[in-house]
Amino acid sequence: MAYTPDEDHRRPDGADDRAVRAAGMVSEALETVERARGHLYSFHQLTGSAHATADQAVRLLREAGHDDLARRLAADLVGRDVLEGRWTFQIVEEYDDGYYATFRELERQVRERLMGGRRHVYEAELKQRSQEAGEA
């Protein structure tokens, strides 16, 4: 039995194929941005972990009598900005508050205007076509 989209995933009256596809593509692009954001948070956390480990290494270098290396690591690496004037938390915040927030808002506006706020209309229709083809 083929899938029939429920009301939340059904094409609104007056929406043509191009509008459904366009809304689907904007949502797909947002999904990719969500993945990129996850990688950015991984970057943030991994960099923080590396920073903490380097800080521990400074202590061990001092204890081992390698003050010159400890001073160099402490002065040039531990606490260093990742980008000029910014640590990773600042990069994450700037991304979240700027590009990410704008992308989410625009995706919502596209869905509201073209799909009446409904999500995954294109995918629901794809599922329906796929299952109908399987019954043939």
Side-chain angles (χ1 to χ4, degrees):
M1 179 171 185
Y3 166 77
T4 301
D6 59 20
E7 186 62 34
D8 289 342
H9 298 102
R10 199 167 298 137
R11 178 188 297 226
D13 291 339
D16 65 14
D17 289 346
R18 288 176 302 215
V20 170
R21 182 67 185 128
M25 290 179 82
V26 173
S27 293
E28 180 182 351
L30 176 60
E31 291 171 6
T32 302
V33 166
E34 293 285 1
R35 289 181 58 209
R37 183 173 179 255
H39 289 293
L40 183 60
Y41 273 82
S42 292
F43 164 73
H44 164 59
Q45 291 175 346
L46 289 168
T47 301
S49 177
H51 172 93
T53 301
D55 198 28
Q56 292 174 357
V58 167
R59 181 181 50 78
L60 290 173
L61 286 167
R62 283 190 180 120
E63 289 173 5
H66 300 286
D67 289 337
D68 58 328
L69 290 173
R71 274 193 304 278
R72 180 77 196 274
L73 244 66
D76 295 342
L77 190 59
V78 176
R80 181 186 182 110
D81 290 342
V82 174
L83 295 177
E84 187 64 36
R86 290 181 284 190
W87 272 23
T88 58
F89 75 91
Q90 293 165 304
I91 297 166
V92 167
E93 287 177 357
E94 186 175 331
Y95 181 85
D96 277 354
D97 295 345
Y99 185 79
Y100 178 69
T102 301
F103 211 122
R104 284 184 50 127
E105 176 57 22
L106 289 171
E107 187 272 342
R108 187 194 63 75
Q109 287 178 21
V110 167
R111 272 189 303 104
E112 287 295 324
R113 182 174 297 169
L114 301 181
M115 298 295 108
R118 296 174 179 140
R119 297 180 296 167
H120 299 109
V121 172
Y122 178 78
E123 290 88 341
E125 290 183 3
L126 184 63
K127 177 179 179 178
Q128 183 178 22
R129 284 191 304 275
S130 178
Q131 290 185 353
E132 287 172 352
E135 290 183 351

